[in-house]
Amino acid sequence: MTVIAIVESRADRASTHICDALRDCVDWDEHEDETRLDADGGGTWYRTDGFELRSFDDIHLELEAPVDAFDCDPDLLVFASRHAGDTGALLTGHFTGNFGPAEFGGENEALAEACPNALAVLREAFEEYAPSEYDVGLECTHHGPTDVGCPSLFAELGSSDEQWDDPAGAEAVARAILALRGTEPHRETQLVGFGGNHYVPRFERIVRETPWAVGHVGADWALEAMGEPDSDSDPDPDPDSDSETEAHRDVIDRAFTASEADIAVVDDDRPALEAVIEDLGYRVVSETWVRAVGDRPLEAVDRVESQLGEVDDGVRFGDRREASFALVELPEELIGTAEGIDPDRVRGVLETHAIAFETTNGGSRIGARAAVPTGTGSEGEAEDGDGGHNAESLAAVDDLAAALADVLREKYDDVRLETPTSASETDAIVAREVAFDPQLAAELGVPEGPKFGALADGESVTVDGETISPDDVRTERRHRFSLPRRLEGE
């Protein structure tokens, strides 16, 4: 089970209030450590299921290697702390480190180990326990310590004297910390953030609305303090800036390694930074990519993007999660007609039956191709060989065609699959409708205008004393739509 260390700072009264609330919320076993000074985490300390709490005299950001004081071997460490700022009542969390000079603890251009999954769980617990007058948020990476000894985060009560002394706010932070019991520091889907303001609205939104957790975030001000990085591929490097460039590269690389992430989202236009990130072997993606990919295995995502197209070019994922797939052509006339009837339902059809599909018009319309499942391999593990994929992919195509035919039935009187009657034809969806025929109406002497409209609406009309019924001016129209088909060699 995950063991969590909690640091209380006697120099921070919000910290003492939070830790008093922690001691009140659950039962703790009290212990004495005579091997360390009270000021350094010795003296009286506390243990309960999954947690150990120790108190220090120094302010948190000056505590380097606090893990050494703990009797347990913690998987992560939480600093119970105040938050100061002009933000009103706020519960917030963040990781520690300095992308540039160390003005408030820690080392220059150094970052502590982050625990993205734990921070995401803490933020969710803040939402559950925050008093109604409190907002909940996240912050960028800032201040010390940079050498903690294990993954760590700050859980903060803010943002001024009123909140620091608020028992309800302190209890909310305490209960959120306790909600971390059993939480692992990391998850499969986590990324690093660059850019944006101190309170990282884009990255907080990613954490709140997607399965992704966010590790270190270098906000605009932190990147400015660091200085614009240069890429090794810069054709005109400044010979006097080599050491500065390497320092920049090192701290950017550390943001990934300390977050256990290989992916970044960059807020704002920062081509030099993106070049360095990619030169270091990491990938820059968009928020759209993060949302579209969700919690899918990245190996499966890579296969889709390499064969069907990239998310940022309009590819979207469906509900199917099989590893093996075949590419299918989606006939333009069939898709366009179905979308003209019910575009939301057509998208639902693709989402239900496809692993992924192309879109156009900013993702609002279905594109020309889709990836449909062909095998029964586990998600993220492609099968070797054909494995009967031809038959299975034909079944997947049939299911897709049947679902699109159901959409057509909303408009047409009869929709069915027809097999070819000649060598020049292929299987198709044939839709028939009986509709008002203006030419027949004109031949019967019906003048254009309101009487045309009445007949089209199913009402009889009188012309020169003769009654003309809707059936007299209807004709059957037949529409033939090509079926989705598997692309050969794909």
Side-chain angles (χ1 to χ4, degrees):
M1 179 180 180
T2 303
V3 180
I4 299 173
I6 302 172
V7 170
E8 174 184 13
S9 169
R10 299 187 186 97
D12 175 353
R13 71 177 189 272
S15 180
T16 61
H17 292 324
I18 293 167
C19 291
D20 284 343
L22 279 165
R23 287 183 280 263
D24 290 339
C25 285
V26 294
D27 294 327
W28 299 77
D29 295 326
E30 189 173 309
H31 300 268
E32 292 293 326
D33 182 354
E34 298 180 355
T35 66
R36 301 180 69 89
L37 297 175
D38 287 6
D40 298 328
T44 304
W45 59 278
Y46 302 88
R47 175 176 289 166
T48 192
D49 184 28
F51 296 92
E52 181 177 328
L53 190 160
R54 289 184 179 250
S55 304
F56 300 77
D57 280 356
D58 284 343
I59 197 71
H60 303 91
L61 53 83
E62 301 293 343
L63 292 174
E64 294 297 327
V67 161
D68 293 344
F70 286 80
D71 187 59
C72 65
D73 182 16
D75 297 284
L76 65 94
L77 182 146
V78 177
F79 295 94
S81 175
R82 73 188 180 203
H83 168 71
D86 298 326
T87 52
L90 177 68
L91 306 185
T92 183
H94 67 88
F95 304 122
T96 60
N98 304 298
F99 280 88
E103 297 182 3
F104 301 101
E107 299 295 325
N108 295 334
E109 297 184 328
L111 303 173
E113 293 178 80
C115 43
N117 183 56
L119 185 60
V121 173
L122 181 76
R123 196 214 66 82
E124 186 175 3
F126 280 160
E127 290 278 11
E128 179 177 356
Y129 295 114
S132 59
E133 66 272 22
Y134 280 79
D135 290 326
V136 170
L138 298 175
E139 297 173 81
C140 68
T141 298
H142 63 293
H143 69 61
T146 53
D147 179 15
V148 176
C150 72
S152 63
L153 61 81
F154 268 60
E156 298 186 343
L157 171 63
S159 300
S160 62
D161 292 290
E162 179 182 355
Q163 288 80 39
W164 299 337
D165 294 325
D166 177 18
E171 181 179 346
V173 177
R175 292 195 178 279
I177 292 172
L178 291 172
L180 293 174
R181 179 182 280 116
T183 298
E184 294 294 333
H186 301 281
R187 64 175 63 168
E188 290 295 323
T189 50
Q190 49 193 42
L191 57 87
V192 172
F194 295 96
N197 68 35
H198 183 90
Y199 293 97
V200 298
R202 179 185 295 274
F203 302 107
E204 194 272 339
R205 185 171 64 239
I206 287 173
V207 172
R208 185 176 71 249
E209 298 177 0
T210 80
W212 287 75
V214 177
H216 281 292
V217 178
D220 287 340
W221 67 264
L223 298 178
E224 290 169 6
M226 178 185 71
E228 186 73 8
D230 295 319
S231 170
D232 275 354
S233 58
D234 186 347
D236 298 306
D238 180 352
D240 298 325
S241 65
D242 286 348
S243 61
E244 183 180 1
T245 297
E246 287 308 311
H248 293 159
R249 290 171 60 83
D250 287 347
V251 72
I252 292 169
D253 188 43
R254 176 62 178 166
F256 289 92
T257 58
S259 302
E260 292 196 9
D262 298 311
I263 288 173
V265 170
V266 178
D267 198 353
D268 306 324
D269 184 25
R270 295 181 176 272
L273 174 62
E274 292 186 17
V276 169
I277 291 170
E278 292 172 351
D279 195 45
L280 288 167
Y282 304 111
R283 181 178 181 183
V284 177
V285 302
S286 65
E287 182 179 348
T288 297
W289 186 95
V290 171
R291 291 179 177 277
V293 167
D295 60 356
R296 291 170 178 79
L298 296 187
E299 289 184 4
V301 173
D302 288 344
R303 286 198 299 275
V304 167
E305 289 199 296
S306 66
Q307 296 184 48
L308 181 62
E310 296 188 0
V311 169
D312 286 339
D313 291 332
V315 167
R316 297 293 180 265
F317 289 90
D319 298 334
R320 301 295 294 264
R321 297 292 189 100
E322 290 88 342
S324 299
F325 60 83
L327 297 187
V328 170
E329 180 184 53
L330 303 174
E332 182 179 358
E333 185 179 7
L334 172 61
I335 295 297
T337 301
E339 285 188 310
I341 297 169
D342 190 338
D344 292 337
R345 187 176 175 189
V346 174
R347 190 180 188 93
V349 166
L350 269 296
E351 289 174 347
T352 298
H353 293 280
I355 292 171
F357 52 93
E358 293 177 334
T359 67
T360 61
N361 291 355
S364 65
R365 309 291 286 185
I366 303 301
R369 298 186 304 163
V372 299
T374 61
T376 57
S378 300
E379 181 181 13
E381 298 178 0
E383 295 182 349
D384 293 328
D386 183 71
H389 289 178
N390 285 331
E392 292 179 24
S393 64
L394 287 174
V397 172
D398 288 346
D399 291 342
L400 180 59
L404 291 170
D406 280 341
V407 178
L408 298 182
R409 290 188 177 96
E410 293 185 23
K411 174 182 178 181
Y412 295 99
D413 299 304
D414 180 67
V415 177
R416 64 184 63 189
L417 177 66
E418 287 193 358
T419 55
T421 58
S422 69
S424 62
E425 292 183 335
T426 59
D427 288 355
I429 296 173
V430 176
R432 295 178 176 86
E433 61 178 337
V434 178
F436 171 69
D437 187 331
Q439 183 175 346
L440 285 179
E443 290 174 358
L444 293 175
V446 180
E448 292 188 21
K451 292 187 177 183
F452 262 39
L455 288 167
D457 292 337
E459 301 174 9
S460 298
V461 299
T462 300
V463 177
D464 296 331
E466 182 178 350
T467 299
I468 298 175
S469 73
D471 290 339
D472 296 331
V473 291
R474 285 180 177 168
T475 189
E476 181 180 281
R477 293 172 183 159
R478 186 173 180 272
H479 305 270
R480 186 179 181 87
F481 300 98
S482 298
L483 293 175
R485 66 177 184 87
R486 179 171 178 171
L487 295 171
E488 296 299 328
E490 298 287 354

